[in-house]
Amino acid sequence: QQQVKQSPQSLIVQKGGISIINCAYENTAFDYFPWYQQFPGKGPALLIAIRPDVSEKKEGRFTISFNKSAKQFSLHIMDSQPGDSATYFCAASARPSGGSNYKLTFGKGTLLTVNP
Amino acid sequence: ETGVTQSPTHLIKTRGQQVTLRCSSQSGHNTVSWYQQALGQGPQFIFQYYREEENGRGNFPPRFSGLQFPNYSSELNVNALELDDSALYLCASSSPSGGKEQYFGPGTRLTVT
């Protein structure tokens, strides 16, 4: 059962355009929603994250929009640049049963290509 | 501040062999989580270590095991390697304040032939 569904699988955007990646989740126990950026041959890098009590969070050109009732959240990249070309993963985090720390459940990823 | 480091970078093993991967957590982080990332997929949670004990496990068989040491570094051991174990193995560390923010190392690329 895939708990976090991500779309689209791939996305091509022109330089200066807006990139939008969407995710949906099923588990209402999730209470933390990060986005990661991964370049080829590298580990995922934490980009931006949001908690369910906030509807929007913006950091520079990156914005997360969160819709708790719809169990959906999205990443918007404004003024997309060729250097943003990478794979983006949404994730959701919930406290493991019986534990005191969190684990991440990832979407399958979106390969973003920004053309110059 | 030193980030998460992993060794080795690449590894080639034969089916049936055993492998040990290593991770050093970011300075001040006491929780280490391991993830498996198959080609073209998102990372999948294997298990987490906190205070030198396993603290949560994903849907992986017992031949995946681990350790955490007093300095918070960690090892991932995989016995009886199968072809499907070929993947990028990622280690992530998180801070004592709750562990929600996880910071990943560069990974170890394991190829099983």
Side-chain angles (χ1 to χ4, degrees), chain A residues 9-21:
Chain A
Q9 190 172 4
S10 63
L11 180 62
I12 300 175
V13 173
Q14 291 300 118
K15 178 182 176 181
I18 301 173
S19 303
I20 302 174
I21 304 170

Side-chain angles (χ1 to χ4, degrees), chain A residues 35-114:
Chain A
W35 284 88
Y36 283 83
Q37 178 189 58
Q38 187 175 30
F39 292 103
K42 304 292 184 182
L46 180 62
L47 199 57
I48 187 172
I50 198 168
R51 299 174 188 268
D53 56 345
V54 177
S55 61
E56 185 175 282
K57 182 175 181 179
K58 182 177 180 179
E59 290 184 2
R61 296 185 294 111
F62 301 92
T63 300
I64 300 179
S65 297
F66 188 85
N67 186 330
K68 187 174 182 178
S69 60
K71 291 188 286 186
Q72 295 176 348
F73 58 111
S74 60
L75 175 69
H76 296 232
I77 305 174
M78 312 300 288
D79 187 25
S80 298
Q81 299 296 313
D84 296 331
S85 298
T87 300
Y88 292 81
F89 294 96
C90 63
S93 182
R95 189 184 297 273
S97 58
S100 61
N101 286 319
Y102 289 75
K103 69 171 186 177
L104 291 170
T105 300
F106 283 84
K108 290 191 173 183
T110 297
L111 178 61
L112 172 64
T113 302
V114 181

Side-chain angles (χ1 to χ4, degrees), chain B residues 1 11 24 26-27 42 47 53 63 65-66 78-79 81 94 106 108 111:
Chain B
E1 183 178 273
L11 204 52
S24 291
Q26 185 167 319
S27 177
F47 45 54
E53 292 189 357
R63 57 190 186 83
S65 63
V78 186
N79 293 322
L81 284 167
S94 47
T108 294
T111 302

Side-chain angles (χ1 to χ4, degrees), chain B residues 6-46:
Chain B
Q6 293 186 243
S7 63
T9 305
H10 296 90
L11 204 52
I12 299 175
K13 289 287 189 177
T14 303
R15 188 172 51 184
Q17 287 187 318
Q18 178 266 342
V19 69
T20 298
L21 310 181
R22 295 177 175 80
C23 169
S24 291
S25 62
Q26 185 167 319
S27 177
H29 287 187
N30 64 356
T31 300
V32 172
S33 302
W34 286 92
Y35 293 82
Q36 180 196 65
Q37 185 177 20
L39 201 61
Q41 300 294 315
Q44 295 225 332
F45 175 75
I46 303 175

Side-chain angles (χ1 to χ4, degrees), chain A residues 13-35:
Chain A
V13 173
Q14 291 300 118
K15 178 182 176 181
I18 301 173
S19 303
I20 302 174
I21 304 170
N22 301 299
C23 282
Y25 64 97
E26 299 166 3
N27 187 350
T28 54
F30 289 149
D31 64 353
Y32 177 68
F33 302 88
W35 284 88

